[in-house]
Amino acid sequence: MASDSPNTRSAFTYSLELDVIKIQDLNTGTKRVADDIKNVLCEIESWHQGPIIGYRIMYLESNGRWTGVDWDGKSVGFSALGETDESAATKKLIAIRPRMLSG
């Protein structure tokens, strides 16, 4: 799914695989995803029709490296995954984030 809605100033796509949300900045918005991350996460929650708290979240930075995102519904934290390969970044994110979803 792609965004360029008025709520976010960044343009991005995202995918949801099991409990991992992967966000990619399209670099066509007026802000980078990192600088607009709260709005990006709220927009994903709107599309998802529910909170995404408990999902493992990562985004691809403009430098080609993946970054982990902590989201509690109000505040955001970041953790460098230091990977350029999506599969390696996903494995690292899964290793450092305990499974938080039930089911």
Side-chain angles (χ1 to χ4, degrees), residues 3-4 8-12 25-33:
S3 170
D4 62 0
T8 58
R9 292 190 211 163
S10 57
F12 65 94
D25 195 329
L26 297 175
N27 297 314
T28 59
T30 58
K31 279 189 156 186
R32 298 177 323 131
V33 164

Side-chain angles (χ1 to χ4, degrees), residues 32-87:
R32 298 177 323 131
V33 164
D35 297 330
D36 198 27
I37 193 69
K38 284 185 183 181
N39 288 327
V40 167
L41 296 173
C42 288
E43 186 148 337
I44 291 172
E45 286 183 331
S46 172
W47 291 333
H48 188 65
Q49 297 182 344
I52 57 173
I53 298 166
Y55 283 84
R56 296 171 172 128
I57 304 169
M58 59 192 226
Y59 81 94
L60 184 61
E61 294 189 59
S62 58
N63 67 6
R65 296 204 181 273
W66 287 94
T67 297
V69 179
D70 294 316
W71 172 243
D72 66 7
K74 294 181 183 176
S75 60
V76 178
F78 296 101
S79 57
L81 297 174
E83 300 289 346
T84 56
D85 178 75
E86 181 178 335
S87 179

